[in-house]
Amino acid sequence: MPLLVMKFGGTSVADLDRIANAAGKVAREVERGYDVIVIVSAMAGKTNELVRWVESTSPFFDAREYDAVVASGENVTAGLMALRLQELGVPARSWQGWQVPILTTSAHSAARFVDIPRDNIDAKFAEGMRVAVVAGFQGLSPENRITTLGRGGSDTTAVAFAAAFGAERCDIYTDVDGIYTTDPRITSKARKLTRISFEEMLELASLGAKVLQTRSVELAMRYKVRLRVLSSFDDTDETSGTLVCDEEEIMESKVVSGVAHSRDEAKITLFTIEDRPGIAASIFGALAEAGVNVDMIVQNISEKDYDDEHPGAVTDMTFSCPVDQVPRARKALEAALERNLIKYDELIIDTEVAKVSIVGIGMRSQAGVAARMFEALAAEGINIKVIATSEIKISVMIDRKYMELAVQTLHDAFELEKAG
Ligand code: ADP
Ligand code: ASP
Ligand code: MG
């Protein structure tokens, strides 16, 4: 029988009525002849609550116990979804990650899939089960411990199952009816896209558009999964939502396809460091060891001597990281200073910044996009603190209080409300 993967996010299973609504959508696909693998998130807000419970109990928690606790939200919704489907007369059962088993690495809170053996679920389909409800976000490490895939990880579970089981499509049901030119919560001018390329979605996701977890887009691209985002609240059919697909399948040709934002960023500057080979390696080595996810990096042009004992040029180094990693970053840099691994005069930390980015494959062949972006921001008096570019994106770091304005300004400047 043809197979579909249907994933329901937190708001789509937020209470028993919504679980019933989602189950109705699954039952309709079963009626149409599909076997279905349903991936569920925890009820909206549940994972955040579990994270708070862990942090209140143990500030420097054991990552294995963190995963054991935060994975539990999905277990509840998986069981409830299976029960609701059974009430509708659909043969269904739930699976926690370890029961499948979903085998992952042991990187707790950031685990990656190693293997998803099909045997157990296939055997049940062969016996007449029509729906396997699988708890998203979780897996099992080689040490036999529960792992999680990072926040938003149920998207990745869904795509991995679609790839492993050769699903016809992977449908991600959420609280918006598709992927928009920017987060529709920030501007009502955001326009729904009918299609978006894997490359562009990958950039948007990694730059903060949380509608899909980055890793899920990577997997879909690698395994050619037909990935669709659509609303769990609307009546939907095969044409609903946004399809994430190959560039060749897209007719629209705009230079910029979308604007992404990442609110909770921090900027850290090390003033007066020596400018010689090995210094950057020492700084970022110490940060990597402490598990800090460094994003943008800028090093100033150097001019003068460090001091009498350290002749040669000095420079300043600035980088960004998620704001909740600032304590870890500070600790790592101060420890490196103490152990004489690095030298700096001052550490300046700005926790009030955000990152705004424009993304588009059209940028590959079009000049002047950066100038247009910077002019638009300047016209609103928004100062740019750090810039980073790649082939299909330009990111700027700005004061957080201007984030919404910057997104709206760029959305207007590149006329994203109009179809291309
Ligand atoms: P779920 O709980 O279903 O996984 P998420 O909250 O993780 O849902 O993702 C959906 C949210 O992503 C939307 O409510 C929207 O605010 C946000 N979002 C950010 N950027 C975009 C975008 N470009 N298009 C659509 N939604 C976006
Ligand atoms: N419940 C998890 C989270 O909130 C995973 C997910 O919903 O995708 O991050
Ligand atoms: Mg999500």
Side-chain angles (χ1 to χ4, degrees):
M1 260 190 232
L3 182 105
L4 277 185
V5 169
M6 302 170 76
K7 179 257 174 179
F8 293 93
T11 41
S12 308
V13 292
D15 56 37
L16 298 183
D17 286 342
R18 291 203 179 163
I19 291 176
N21 167 65
K25 286 188 175 293
V26 177
R28 264 193 296 286
E29 297 296 355
V30 171
E31 262 165 41
R32 294 172 60 205
Y34 285 102
D35 278 345
V36 182
I37 297 180
V38 175
I39 308 294
V40 285
S41 286
M43 290 178 173
K46 190 71 209 173
T47 310
N48 287 342
E49 181 180 52
L50 295 168
V51 168
R52 282 196 302 273
W53 287 353
V54 169
E55 289 172 347
S56 305
T57 307
S58 172
F60 292 97
F61 49 78
D62 174 346
R64 294 162 298 190
E65 300 304 344
Y66 170 99
D67 276 357
V69 175
V70 302
S72 67
E74 271 71 10
N75 297 343
V76 175
T77 43
L80 289 171
M81 176 66 82
L83 286 171
R84 175 47 68 186
L85 285 163
Q86 289 172 4
E87 288 297 319
L88 295 175
V90 179
R93 71 155 272 192
S94 71
W95 305 77
Q96 295 184 8
W98 64 271
Q99 294 173 303
V100 174
I102 300 171
L103 304 174
T104 72
T105 61
S106 12
H108 284 276
S109 301
R112 292 188 160 227
F113 293 110
V114 172
D115 192 20
I116 301 177
R118 292 178 48 158
D119 326 18
N120 288 335
I121 289 180
D122 275 345
K124 288 292 170 196
F125 276 133
E127 284 173 21
M129 175 190 73
R130 301 297 305 282
V131 181
V133 185
V134 179
F137 182 50
Q138 53 175 262
L140 188 69
S141 76
E143 294 78 27
N144 222 23
R145 301 297 301 257
I146 303 297
T147 54
T148 65
L149 308 171
R151 298 305 304 269
S154 298
D155 297 329
T156 306
T157 308
V159 173
F161 271 78
F165 285 81
E168 195 172 294
R169 218 176 42 235
C170 180
D171 285 343
I172 306 284
Y173 287 87
T174 183
D175 59 357
V176 274
D177 60 354
I179 296 161
Y180 280 69
T181 47
T182 195
D183 189 340
R185 288 185 210 192
I186 292 202
T187 168
S188 56
K189 289 188 193 164
R191 179 173 53 90
K192 193 178 93 187
L193 300 163
T194 41
R195 292 179 176 219
I196 186 165
S197 69
F198 286 120
E199 287 86 350
E200 287 169 318
M201 192 59 231
L202 195 56
E203 287 283 5
L204 287 173
S206 69
L207 294 166
K210 70 170 188 158
V211 60
L212 287 173
Q213 199 196 32
T214 309
R215 185 92 185 103
S216 73
V217 187
E218 263 169 37
L219 280 185
M221 190 161 141
R222 167 133 44 102
Y223 294 103
K224 300 257 173 257
V225 171
R226 282 188 95 70
L227 178 62
R228 186 166 71 139
V229 173
L230 68 171
S231 166
S232 67
F233 304 133
D234 299 348
D235 279 333
T236 45
D237 58 31
E238 306 88 88
T239 61
S240 306
T242 303
L243 187 71
V244 190
C245 58
D246 281 328
E247 209 176 311
E248 293 77 42
E249 295 182 66
I250 297 176
M251 305 305 286
E252 203 171 339
S253 64
K254 290 196 83 115
V255 184
V256 172
S257 304
V259 183
H261 64 89
S262 175
R263 179 183 300 273
D264 298 312
E265 300 283 324
K267 177 168 78 74
I268 301 185
T269 303
L270 294 112
F271 275 106
T272 330
I273 59 171
E274 292 170 83
D275 187 14
R276 62 169 171 80
I279 290 294
S282 304
I283 293 172
F284 295 105
L287 291 166
E289 218 166 280
V292 177
N293 296 102
V294 171
D295 178 20
M296 300 159 116
I297 300 175
V298 261
Q299 184 180 319
N300 288 354
I301 299 290
S302 45
E303 275 157 19
K304 49 184 193 294
D305 284 353
Y306 186 87
D307 57 24
D308 291 345
E309 281 169 45
H310 298 81
V314 297
T315 186
D316 307 322
M317 185 80 85
T318 298
F319 66 90
S320 70
C321 70
V323 81
D324 60 357
Q325 295 184 1
V326 165
R328 241 188 285 172
R330 183 201 286 275
K331 204 168 145 200
L333 293 171
E334 287 174 352
L337 179 70
E338 210 152 282
R339 290 167 54 206
N340 267 325
L341 297 176
I342 54 174
K343 277 173 73 68
Y344 56 81
D345 278 358
E346 209 182 342
L347 200 60
I348 305 252
I349 299 178
D350 183 351
T351 55
E352 298 294 324
V353 291
K355 184 170 69 174
V356 174
S357 312
I358 56 173
V359 170
I361 36 185
M363 276 187 222
R364 282 187 198 135
S365 51
Q366 181 117 2
V369 181
R372 211 163 132 195
M373 177 183 195
F374 303 154
E375 277 160 19
L377 294 172
E380 293 296 330
I382 300 172
N383 189 36
I384 301 170
K385 294 169 174 245
V386 183
I387 300 168
T389 65
S390 75
E391 202 189 15
I392 65 162
K393 73 120 199 276
I394 304 170
S395 298
V396 294
M397 176 162 290
I398 57 171
D399 279 330
R400 188 174 302 137
K401 61 177 183 240
Y402 297 128
M403 190 189 79
E404 277 85 0
L405 176 62
V407 171
Q408 289 154 0
T409 301
L410 295 173
H411 200 272
D412 287 346
F414 290 96
E415 300 183 330
L416 297 188
E417 75 281 7
K418 295 187 201 149

